[in-house]
Amino acid sequence: MYLLTMSAPMMSFMLTLTHKEKIKTTTMQTLACSMIFFSWMNSSIMLYECMMNDTHCQTKIWNWMKTEHMECKISLHMDLLSSSMLFMVTSMSLFVHMYSTEYMKNDPHKHRFMSYLSLFTFFMLLMMSSNNYILLLMGWEGVGICSYLLMNFWYTRMQANKSGMKAIMMNRMGDIALLMSTMMMMNKFGSTKFENLTHMINNKMQTIMNTISMLLLMGAMGKSSLMGLHVWLPDAMEGPTPMSALMHAATMVTAGIFLLMRSSSILEESKMSLTITAWMGATTAFFAATMGTSQNDMKRMMAYSTCSQLGYMALAMGISKYSISLLHLMNHAFFKSLLFLGAGITMHTIKNEQDIRKLSSLMKQTPMTYMGLMTASLTMTGTPFLTAYFSKDQMMENSYKNSMLYWLATITAALTALYSTRLMYFSFTKKPQYTHTQKPHTTSEKDILMNSMIMMLTLMSISTGYMTYTMLTQQQHPLITQKLILTPLMCSMTTSMLMTTLYTNNNLHNKTTLTTLWKNFNSNAWNFNTFYNNMIGEKMLTLAHYQTYKHSDKGILEKIINNNLTNIMMHNSQNISKFQSTKMTQHLLTMILFYSSFTMHIKSQKLNNSVLFWKNTGCSFKSCLGQTMKHNSLMPQFAKLKIVK
Amino acid sequence: MNLMQMMMSPIITLIMMTLMPKDKKRMMENMSTLSSILILMQTMYLHMDNNHQIKAITLLFSSNTETNNMTMTTHQLCMDTLSTSLMMLTSMLMLTSMLMSKKTMYHTHKKLFMCLFTITMTLFLTLTTSSLMMFYIMFESSMMPLMMMMGLWGSRKEKTRATYYFLLYTMMGSLPLFITILIMNNKLGTFNTTTLQNMEIHTHTQQQLFMGLFLAFAMKTPLIPWHSWLPLAHVEAPAMGSVLLAGMLLKLGTYGFIRFTTPMLTNLSKYTSPMMMIMSMLSMWLASINSLRQNDMKRMMAYSSMAHMGMITAACFSMNPMSKKGAMMLMLSHGLTSSALFALVSFLYERHKSRLMKNFQGMSYTTPMLSTLIMMTTLAHMSTPGSMNFMGEYLCLLGLWELHPSMTMTSTMGMMMSTAYLLLLYIQITSSKPTTYTKYKMYDLSLNETQAILTLTMPNMTLGLMPYPMM
């Protein structure tokens, strides 16, 4: 059954890719959806088994690497973490598959899109259910490549190519860190299996644990776009919207968080990396929230909000509350994909316009989407008893021990409220400004499939937190005062109220000064991109051209070796050709020379005295050479020739 | 006996080829492809058989040799998994070049096929001999058909210079090798490698021998100061020539390191391993940085293959079994992927008569099959997990980690750069809108060409997932 879950998406990928011409598009789409549905069924059964009946299970498929020292098998591992992730991934991919059958209706490359989505699901499942780090790495890289393929789906656009390149490079950094960490594990413990590692770890090897966990954190940074390697995520929005709903909101970006959860036993051993993770999470959350407030592109804003939510997850990990982090991950998947899918519908209604400044009063055009997006943003801000409340609020409470982190998280919550109200106000409730230029499509919200997806996700984002709350986590309320529990909530509420009042008031003076200041503050995305471009990329390319290629390779090495080689060869060959002139005397001389040396050699052999032989021959050589030189110099014809030249 | 049969089949085809009249081109093509398929099957059978009986050595032609101390029976031709896997690689490359030749070559087919089969023959002999003298002769003569290919089918006038450099560099390296082989015979009394490995060579003599045994292979690999012949040769060689050069002839250098240098001069190669490490790391870094800014696709690929060979040499000299196994796998996988990339570039050249990267745009619109194959091979080449390159590279890096972690750190940066330049290549060629230039001849790969590429990529993928035939 475990294998069936994995193989169904792979099957759909193979079928849709290879039988492009033979299968009709509608049958292809139903086939892909049914395959994913099948694997969703399987995974829900698995979730039941692992959650209710508390089973652990491992199945070996085949041997992979095997040398004298190391052994690595391709085998699957099922427990609470992986089964819940599997359930989440399959349900999200089911939603997105069904959504994209409608969304990509007018695209000529539907086959390709569906096949990539299926492949992505396969790799994701492989990563979630892997047994050891190397197999996890396979799924990890595969997911990255699928994301590149989908990001670059409309490959004729230059911006898409750029973003794809960026994403792959940034991901590769993380991948290499993960690779190094697996190598270190293999070297120190002789295995990369999760189970073995948990048993083998002990407190004594502090530095090793520190380095391993730091490398793992680096890997997580690359994939789930924590601060530093986050630059690819906002640019990844160049791809089609369903794809960004699936990957850059729900599943792929949470892979890093999943990795950290998987290696919780390692992280627990080093306090240093835990604090670094927590700080990384808090700063990422704060930074991404500030960026989210000043974005005008709808999808980029959502991307930054994803980034900040991932920061929250990392923060929860840092204060070693893994189950809360997992809960937040699950919840986040639902409400964030709802946001993206809703954004997709709104974009379709208004001729693919993503700039929120150009949108207005979509509430009347798309009431269903408005409802969905409203629920999602309310959930995101942490309104009580919606899904994110159960995870986010608990996280805040638990982080009170490190008060600085707590305050950062609270500010971030306020900022979250700010940008979500901004989005909602601008695109849905604001009075129409450009009614004549931007006329909305008439065909809006007519697809039953898309609407039902939105409905389903809305219901999910209201209820999942409540349902999974008791299953995934134990009661983990720390002892803090009641005021502090309410502060994040109060903060977010007040900011959203403030924003709405500011926007509805027509007093523009105060507003513009504030916003311009704020926008100037984070106009360049905290200069991460400029740093990477100017400091690393451009320097590297100039180095490649001028230093290594022009100077060393074409300059020094060619001059020293190649030119010298050719010169020596030419020179020597000229000398040899000089030696073979038409003069009879010269030839005679060489003959004499040869014979004399030969006789000397025989003589010396008889005497068995090699030293004497060499001396003699040397002498004879010298005398002969002297004679030839004289002879050459005496030649009148030769001299004439030289003059003529 | 299997080995004997396998040796016979290229010889028989060679003889038949010489007897055939010039104008029967079609028949010659069919015969050569058939025989190359046959050779491939034979080598695969041989490898499986060899792998099945663990580490058993199959032998052929035994003779008596006398050393200074004793007389013993030794064998002239023998093989183990290393040589059989490389032989398999050779026959795969042969099959692809046969399939490629139907489109990319325009004249004198008879000579071409003869060249190819002589190369196969010499490579088979190089990989199976246990006599050092024989190895030297075959090592040198494997260069000759390639030079002929470069001279006859090369496209530009620069080809004479390229062949000249190719010849000079290999000569510069291999003459010391010849002298060291003679010294070895003089001092130890035998050419046989297995006996030489078991002998304890005095450290002073080891020092004398090392230069010769190192230089020839370092020129062939090529390591950093002696590499300038490679890009030239690759650029000037015809499609098949560069496929063979990248696929097999560069591997002879590292094969020499694994087979002769490290086991014979164990102490000295352990002593010099830091120097070798630095050299190979330098060549890896410089080559991969160089290939970031190349215009010519073939030149870029040449530099990239140089970088990967640097990794392999580092693994060879790290002197532990794991990385040695990794080096073996990486040799095989790199032979598969880089030659596939060269073949793909030659297909591009054949369509548009240009190898400059900036001329190509939006090929995934015009030739989708070609671009997907480029995608697959580049992904394998940058060692994505699941391909065989990853397996080899992982084992190599693991071995290097045991030596020192910093070695792994530096070589992973090489991996990073390989991703960068390969992605640049892929994106430049396939993405963006197709121009009028790329739209000019819009035909996708034919069946023959796809087969030619798939013979290289499919084994790579399958062996990456199920590597136990190689382990």
Side-chain angles (χ1 to χ4, degrees), chain A residues 345-346 362-374 428 444-445 451 454:
Chain A
I345 290 177
T346 52
L362 282 168
M363 209 202 310
K364 287 165 196 166
Q365 305 292 333
T366 57
M368 187 80 102
T369 333
Y370 170 67
M371 181 202 72
L373 282 185
M374 197 65 208
F428 287 100
S444 59
E445 293 206 334
N451 284 348
I454 293 287

Side-chain angles (χ1 to χ4, degrees), chain B residues 276-313:
Chain B
M276 295 298 122
M277 287 290 151
I278 288 164
M279 225 167 190
S280 44
M281 289 294 148
L282 255 179
S283 67
M284 200 167 89
W285 269 73
L286 263 176
S288 42
I289 290 175
N290 268 344
S291 52
L292 274 174
R293 278 290 288 268
Q294 294 304 318
N295 245 336
D296 197 324
M297 282 191 265
K298 263 190 167 179
R299 189 180 280 271
M300 201 200 95
M301 289 314 302
Y303 275 119
S304 94
S305 71
M306 198 185 124
H308 282 91
M309 294 313 281
M311 168 87 89
I312 297 170
T313 31

Side-chain angles (χ1 to χ4, degrees), chain A residues 78-98:
Chain A
M78 282 297 152
D79 58 350
L80 180 62
L81 174 61
S82 55
S83 67
S84 54
M85 287 296 281
L86 273 191
F87 177 72
M88 193 270 286
V89 169
T90 43
S91 50
M92 284 332 298
S93 93
L94 180 64
F95 282 133
V96 170
H97 267 79
M98 279 158 81

Side-chain angles (χ1 to χ4, degrees), chain A residues 171-188:
Chain A
N171 275 329
R172 193 74 177 168
M173 296 270 275
D175 294 346
I176 279 169
L178 181 57
L179 189 81
M180 301 253 273
S181 74
T182 59
M183 247 174 265
M184 193 153 183
M185 277 171 215
M186 191 59 100
N187 200 28
K188 293 289 185 275

